[in-house]
Amino acid sequence: MSGRIVLAHGGGGRLTRELVRSLFIPPLTNEYLAELGDAAVLPPVSGRLAFTTDAFVVDPPVFPGGDLGYLAVCGTVNDLAMVGAKPIALSWALILEEGADEDLLRTVTAGASRACREVGAPIVAGDTKVVPRGKGDRAFVTTAGLGVVRQTPLSDRLLCPGDEVLVSGPVGDHGATVLAARHGLGGELVSDVAPLWPLVDKLLASGVEVHALHDPTRGGVATVCYEVAERTGLRVELEEEAIPVRPSVRAVMEVLGLDPLYVACEGRFLAFVAAGQGEKALAVLRGHPLGQQANLVGKVKLRQPGEAPVVLRTAFGPLRPLDLLSGAELPRIC
Amino acid sequence: MCLAVPMKLVSREELKGVVELSGMRREISLMLLPEAQVGDYVLVHAGYAIAQVDEREAEETLELLREALAGEEA
Amino acid sequence: MNGFADPRLVRTLARAIAAEAEKLPRPVTFMEVCGTHTNAIAAAGLRRLLPSHVRLISGPGCPVCVTPVGYVDQAMALAEDPRNLVATFGDLLRVPASSGSLEQARATGCDVRVVYSPRDAVDLAAANPDRRVVFLGVGFETTVPTVAAAVLEAEKRGLANFFVLSGHKVMPPALEALLADPALRLEGLILPGHVSVIIGARAYRPVLARYPIPAVISGFTPVDVLRTVLELTKQVVEGRAELVNLYGRVVREEGNLTAWGMVEKVFAPCDARWRGLGDIAGSGLALRRPFASRDAGQFAVTLPTPREPAGCRCGDVLRGRIDPPECPLFATACTPDTAAGACMVSAEGACAAWYRHERFAGVA
């Protein structure tokens, strides 16, 4: 039988050391972490730094296509990638619930290690705390990520009317997979969680004039577009038929009464590129394994007073506004 | 409050059935539709099958509409 | 069956409606009485495919919206008792009570669980033998059989700790109340497809015999809804008032007799209060005597005086008297995040659907 986490694992004493040495260090090992110092001292870098932080709670913590650890590293490095930064190092801290399964921790740590290898950035610092049973949900992860900006930082400030919008792959896979697991819906769903830097790197290096990138995590594609439109005062027009959604994802959403445009992706991004650059960007994205099903999905327009910030042209012709999500998306039977 | 989705009944054991839609599977109850047969499309609401879908009727409806469309285009 | 969302068929139907509507002597208003229609029409942007003198409005078809605030108060009071575990469809979680909501009650430590099926609530009763599991039974004829089946399943499994707080309602008496209203100006009814699956086309015949009006049982895809609008328009043009079933792929004349039999075994008709419509005789369902021990209404709770939000005109919206933007609170004091009334909370509430999908005039 696998061991269980007890409060003393977070107490800083012998059990904490054992946990770190036996469970965390071997899969994650690197020269900085191996020091076990109070802080990692990194080599000098040239270029502007990008710095981000994130927190991860997911139920269930292990799901088809990933786990909490893999998700945590991908989520962090993807935030860096969205400003055009190559990830160079991460930290993570785990909040464990008393009674959590050590095997779960092994899975989560292995997931984090796999993501680090894929993206080429190590976890150089870590911490663990344990909270009493009932005060947490098995395991929470918080991270910080450091990256170095390749060219000019990407920003919504660069957006202008006429910009073209692309999505790097089918949307809603992660959200649908997790919801399906939570509601006992079986099937062939797999989360899209993946580190996006390799694809972003390729796009930026291609010479396409990229203005901004956004990963549609919480709130999905609709929410990201809404936030972009709010920040810029512009309008985003999306074409419903152009947005790739897998049939199995559509099925889960239909059964739960949800809209795929509002559920999370963890391995996709929206790219806003200069007018006339859409086709070129599309060719670049489709030439990479992570972007094979990329598509051009819309345009940035001037927003007239009183107009909706984001609209979707439905398959039947009419435009309908896409609003922000109200509260957490709940499965409904209505 | 009446969201219901047509799904294919792929197996059943007494009043428990498994339905499928685009590769997604779910266990449902057949208490409200005991006559459902494996292979039927059934309408699922809140974890229960509530009706068999008459596929022929559906096809005929669509056929009529497609004819109207063809007539328009001609 | 993807054909029912075929954009080409949708456009063909829209053109046919436009042609037919040319012959209308006056503008017409058709009402749907099913929240799933409300949502489907708004989400596909169907109103913008119709000529301006064919108007679609929403009636009292969203179960959450017609549930009186007193019911939510009672659910809240039950949730506050630590002996109870309250299980509910997600639809009800954010509906405002006189003060607060079940979602807020959960945040203060009340045990409120969202379930997808009443069967899940029965499983909760099995897994928590020392708790009273109270399922919040809200919904029309489509949903009631699933709750009746859950009650029978709890009986069979000997789970004495499974209870139902019945706020269930049936549609025909509400339609009758609506049609009897001399102030109502309506040229046609879009009847609820999935309610009809259970009660059958025949359930509407007595009401429609007393109050003749064009009425079509409709499915929910864009093709279904537009076929329905076309049929209603034709009936008005030709001066007919008939009940037509255009959702024949799942709706039969007699409905689902097994399902309705189960409802009749477990529930008996009772009078019920509808938000916006008031008390309607025989429009509710209460647990029958053999199952009275499972009625969560028996638990003593202290209830506040039910307080409907001041200025909220949900009632007029539910009767089709005004469109949501005509309510003074719409999109100002009342938004999906700060909802005053249930019509703004439920995804299929008329106000929420309007807010999300139709708020921006210049959009099309």
Side-chain angles (χ1 to χ4, degrees):
Chain A
M1 193 186 128
S2 135
R4 299 269 163 187
I5 294 299
V6 295
L7 281 171
H9 278 122
R14 190 180 305 278
L15 276 177
T16 307
R17 280 166 58 100
E18 257 175 41
L19 188 71
V20 170
R21 284 174 197 277
S22 70
L23 227 145
F24 295 135
I25 299 287
L28 295 174
T29 192
N30 57 68
E31 56 183 302
Y32 310 102
L33 196 62
E35 292 271 329
L36 290 178
D38 286 325
V41 177
L42 303 175
V45 291
S46 68
R48 295 177 67 180
L49 291 178
F51 184 47
T52 188
T53 185
D54 217 334
F56 298 87
V57 295
V58 58
D59 172 30
V62 180
F63 47 84
D67 58 76
L68 179 62
Y70 189 75
L71 177 71
V73 171
C74 290
T76 309
V77 298
N78 289 350
D79 281 350
L80 294 170
M82 292 305 102
V83 296
K86 175 183 163 59
I88 52 176
L90 293 90
S91 73
W92 78 336
L94 288 92
I95 315 282
L96 305 176
E97 184 186 21
E98 179 186 20
D101 194 329
E102 283 188 5
D103 274 350
L104 172 65
L105 291 190
R106 283 191 189 91
T107 305
V108 166
T109 311
S113 159
R114 182 161 60 93
C116 285
R117 275 198 311 275
E118 285 174 20
V119 78
I123 291 178
V124 297
D127 189 30
T128 310
K129 295 288 187 300
V130 180
V131 295
R133 198 180 179 89
K135 306 259 168 158
D137 184 11
R138 293 162 284 187
F140 301 146
V141 179
T142 67
T143 62
L146 200 57
V148 58
V149 178
R150 268 292 170 82
Q151 299 155 3
T152 43
L154 304 171
S155 163
D156 289 340
R157 279 192 291 270
L158 302 172
L159 257 59
C160 44
D163 279 6
E164 297 178 53
V165 188
L166 298 98
V167 62
S168 68
V171 305
D173 293 13
H174 177 75
T177 303
V178 170
L179 280 167
R182 218 179 282 160
H183 291 279
L185 307 173
E188 300 140 7
L189 290 164
V190 179
S191 167
D192 53 67
V193 58
L196 290 169
W197 172 249
L199 184 57
V200 170
D201 191 20
K202 192 170 174 225
L203 181 64
L204 295 179
S206 71
V208 169
E209 196 183 325
V210 181
H211 288 162
L213 299 174
H214 289 283
D215 52 344
T217 54
R218 267 181 310 186
V221 169
T223 305
V224 158
C225 289
Y226 196 93
E227 286 167 356
V228 167
E230 286 272 276
R231 276 194 292 266
T232 57
L234 298 168
R235 166 172 161 116
V236 179
E237 278 189 21
L238 299 172
E239 301 286 331
E240 185 170 40
E241 283 179 298
I243 302 172
V245 182
R246 292 183 203 280
S248 52
V249 169
R250 213 175 273 292
V252 169
M253 294 294 110
E254 200 176 334
V255 164
L256 296 177
L258 305 176
D259 185 338
L261 295 183
Y262 285 91
V263 297
C265 310
E266 292 290 348
R268 308 280 180 241
F269 62 81
L270 290 170
F272 297 79
V273 304
Q277 302 262 299
E279 288 295 338
K280 188 177 171 195
L282 187 62
V284 174
L285 293 178
R286 286 191 176 166
H288 189 278
L290 276 174
Q292 279 167 3
Q293 294 182 68
N295 213 6
L296 273 164
V297 296
K299 277 208 163 72
V300 176
K301 301 251 169 102
L302 264 181
R303 172 151 40 117
Q304 307 299 336
E307 276 191 340
V310 184
V311 288
L312 181 74
R313 183 172 300 282
T314 68
F316 319 110
L319 293 171
R320 76 166 160 103
L322 291 179
D323 205 354
L324 276 180
L325 197 59
S326 298
E329 194 69 303
L330 292 169
R332 60 191 182 93
I333 65 151
C334 289
Chain B
M1 192 110 167
C2 298
L3 209 64
V5 180
M7 299 175 80
K8 190 174 190 167
L9 186 64
V10 291
S11 69
R12 67 173 291 177
E13 196 173 317
E14 297 188 3
L15 290 177
K16 276 188 183 158
V18 174
V19 287
E20 190 191 274
L21 175 65
S22 304
M24 184 205 67
R25 286 177 178 227
R26 174 175 171 77
E27 195 195 289
I28 56 154
S29 167
L30 296 169
M31 265 179 96
L32 305 176
L33 198 71
E35 66 271 31
Q37 311 257 328
V38 171
D40 285 352
Y41 275 91
V42 295
L43 195 61
V44 177
H45 171 69
Y48 290 81
I50 59 170
Q52 278 158 306
V53 180
D54 184 342
E55 287 173 77
R56 228 178 63 190
E57 211 270 0
E59 257 328 299
E60 283 168 11
T61 303
L62 288 175
E63 209 33 60
L64 280 176
L65 289 170
R66 289 190 189 115
E67 280 168 23
L69 172 69
E72 236 181 30
E73 284 172 349
Chain C
M1 251 160 293
N2 291 336
F4 285 96
D6 183 342
R8 292 180 317 150
L9 296 183
V10 167
R11 285 190 283 269
T12 300
L13 282 162
R15 282 191 291 270
I17 292 168
E20 193 65 28
E22 292 283 310
K23 304 175 204 158
L24 284 170
R26 59 184 187 288
V28 290
T29 300
F30 302 139
M31 176 189 269
E32 40 81 3
V33 282
C34 174
T36 309
H37 276 140
T38 309
N39 201 43
I41 289 167
L46 295 185
R47 278 195 183 83
R48 288 185 211 100
L49 289 177
L50 298 179
S52 60
H53 52 300
V54 175
R55 184 165 163 258
L56 299 185
I57 62 168
S58 301
C62 153
V64 165
C65 305
V66 297
T67 297
V69 74
Y71 178 91
V72 191
D73 287 343
Q74 199 173 358
M76 294 271 288
L78 288 167
E80 275 156 21
D81 185 333
R83 286 172 295 180
N84 299 335
L85 184 167
V86 168
T88 177
F89 291 132
D91 312 65
L92 210 56
L93 201 65
R94 282 196 286 265
V95 173
S98 291
S99 137
S101 67
L102 286 165
E103 187 176 48
Q104 287 162 7
R106 188 171 67 179
T108 64
C110 297
D111 199 349
V112 179
R113 316 272 183 101
V114 172
V115 292
Y116 174 73
S117 167
R119 296 163 69 213
D120 301 339
V122 176
D123 289 340
L124 280 174
N128 297 274
D130 52 339
R131 308 281 299 282
R132 303 189 299 212
V133 172
V134 177
F135 179 73
L136 302 182
V138 169
F140 295 127
E141 288 95 329
T142 320
T143 309
V144 188
T146 68
V147 179
V151 168
L152 294 174
E153 203 180 322
E155 261 327 92
K156 198 169 132 198
R157 291 169 67 179
L159 298 169
N161 63 330
F162 178 76
F163 302 89
V164 174
L165 185 67
S166 177
H168 289 302
K169 294 187 165 51
V170 291
M171 195 41 90
L175 283 179
E176 177 135 20
L178 209 61
L179 294 175
D181 181 352
L184 184 77
R185 303 189 61 86
L186 210 58
E187 282 73 29
L189 276 177
I190 300 173
L191 293 171
H194 292 151
V195 161
S196 307
V197 161
I198 303 297
I199 63 178
R202 66 174 182 180
Y204 303 105
R205 297 198 186 276
V207 185
L208 294 173
R210 284 192 286 278
Y211 301 96
I213 182 169
V216 176
I217 296 173
S218 177
F220 300 89
T221 66
V223 165
D224 286 321
V225 173
L226 293 185
R227 282 175 74 213
T228 297
V229 173
L230 179 60
E231 167 64 25
L232 289 171
T233 309
K234 278 185 177 162
Q235 287 201 27
V236 175
V237 167
E238 292 162 17
R240 291 183 287 129
E242 293 163 11
L243 171 64
V244 175
N245 176 11
L246 287 185
Y247 200 24
R249 61 186 187 274
V250 287
V251 175
R252 329 270 181 248
E253 177 64 21
E254 70 286 357
N256 180 335
L257 294 174
T258 308
W260 196 247
M262 227 168 264
V263 171
E264 292 197 315
K265 191 169 173 188
V266 174
F267 291 100
C270 66
D271 299 345
R273 175 159 297 176
W274 294 55
R275 242 177 115 244
L277 302 188
D279 296 326
I280 302 176
S283 70
L285 290 169
L287 286 156
R288 272 187 199 280
R289 189 166 295 282
F291 305 98
S293 62
R294 297 189 180 276
D295 186 350
Q298 69 187 291
F299 302 134
V301 286
T302 323
L303 293 177
T305 311
R307 195 171 56 85
E308 290 285 352
C312 169
R313 292 187 64 190
C314 273
D316 290 327
V317 171
L318 289 167
R319 283 168 173 272
R321 286 180 177 162
I322 62 168
D323 279 335
E326 294 169 58
C327 171
L329 304 188
F330 182 81
T332 55
C334 183
T335 70
D337 293 311
T338 61
C343 299
M344 186 58 97
V345 181
S346 169
E348 55 176 37
C351 298
W354 200 287
Y355 185 92
R356 284 179 69 163
H357 302 305
E358 324 230 10
R359 183 160 39 116
F360 294 94
V363 74

